[in-house]
Amino acid sequence: SVLEGMAEYYSTELSQKIRRGLDINASKCMYTGGGVALGFRVDETKHFQIDEATAPIVREIFEMYANGSTITEINSMMNSRRIVTSTGSEFNKNSLKTLLKNKRYIGIYTYKGTETPNGIPRIIDDELFFRVQEMLEKNKKAPARARAKEEYLLTTKLFCGKCKEMMTGYCGTSMTKAKHYYYICNNRKKKLCN
């Protein structure tokens, strides 16, 4: 019973020391364990540095998305070139979205919900990063093109001239039972635009 109590005390004390050590490292914007984002490496002093071999890939992905490439197109291109994620696996939609939303690329160090600006070297400039965030938010609202039976090539690229909301492919049947395919403003469906 005494030995069990001592073991429990030792275990609790050790976990407190580890947490304290991680908090101290985080206050200095040092690596605290876990995965290292693509484009970065950890040096011998446990600080983040730009990985010159993979940082250009990160810039290319951001620029491709900002210039209108879809996540599927970027995935296909990265996988065809045998470029892998920071964990060594193939790119997929989730890993690419995680990469595009990662604030570390604009120099923000995050630990337990606390953000430290300029805590690590930046790979992407603010203008490009926030333009990509805006596009991700807009594209999230668009219905998935994959669910449509017909292919609407301009979905995520076509916007209403009046309210600037995204337009999506739509199919309707006339009284003569003929099918008509066209684009409609998302706000029109909500009766917010004519």
Side-chain angles (χ1 to χ4, degrees):
S1 164
V2 170
L3 288 172
E4 277 180 28
M6 286 174 68
E8 193 176 327
Y9 170 76
Y10 173 75
S11 177
T12 306
E13 186 184 34
L14 184 63
S15 92
Q16 284 175 346
K17 283 180 180 174
I18 290 169
R19 272 199 301 272
R20 198 177 319 122
L22 289 174
D23 291 345
I24 290 167
N25 280 358
S27 70
K28 297 175 186 172
C29 296
M30 293 168 70
Y31 176 67
T32 55
V36 178
L38 189 71
F40 290 106
R41 63 180 178 79
V42 177
D43 65 15
E44 56 284 343
T45 63
K46 288 194 171 185
H47 285 93
F48 287 94
Q49 300 298 336
I50 292 176
D51 180 5
E52 297 303 331
T54 57
I57 295 164
V58 173
R59 287 188 199 104
E60 184 182 6
I61 289 170
F62 270 87
E63 282 162 8
M64 283 177 73
Y65 193 77
N67 292 329
S69 295
T70 64
I71 284 183
T72 306
E73 289 167 354
I74 298 169
N75 272 339
S76 300
M77 197 193 84
M78 291 295 147
N79 292 333
S80 69
R81 286 168 47 190
R82 304 264 192 274
I83 295 170
V84 292
T85 65
S86 58
T87 59
S89 52
E90 278 195 341
F91 275 94
N92 60 44
K93 285 182 180 180
N94 289 338
S95 59
L96 202 61
K97 281 181 182 175
T98 302
L99 183 144
L100 291 169
K101 290 178 181 177
N102 194 338
K103 291 183 179 179
R104 285 182 180 174
Y105 294 122
I106 53 170
I108 295 176
Y109 178 90
T110 310
Y111 179 74
K112 288 185 178 177
T114 305
E115 295 181 350
T116 308
N118 303 316
I120 55 176
R122 68 170 48 233
I123 294 177
I124 305 294
D125 63 68
D126 285 354
E127 190 273 328
L128 176 60
F129 183 82
F130 289 111
R131 186 154 42 106
V132 164
Q133 301 319 299
E134 219 172 88
M135 290 175 74
L136 281 168
E137 195 57 36
K138 265 186 182 174
N139 292 343
K140 188 170 78 174
K141 292 177 186 171
R145 214 188 299 171
R147 281 184 297 208
K149 287 180 182 159
E150 301 300 322
E151 191 168 7
Y152 295 94
L153 297 174
L154 297 177
T155 297
T156 73
K157 293 177 173 64
L158 189 65
F159 297 90
C160 176
K162 186 171 183 181
C163 70
K164 307 291 182 243
E165 183 60 40
M166 190 173 290
M167 297 185 79
T168 50
Y170 199 74
C171 174
T173 309
S174 69
M175 290 170 72
T176 60
K177 304 285 187 236
K179 284 198 174 208
H180 298 278
Y181 302 96
Y182 52 95
Y183 292 90
I184 189 168
C185 167
N186 286 344
N187 276 342
R188 174 74 178 98
K189 294 181 206 173
K190 301 172 196 166
K191 303 201 178 353
L192 299 174
C193 178
N194 57 11

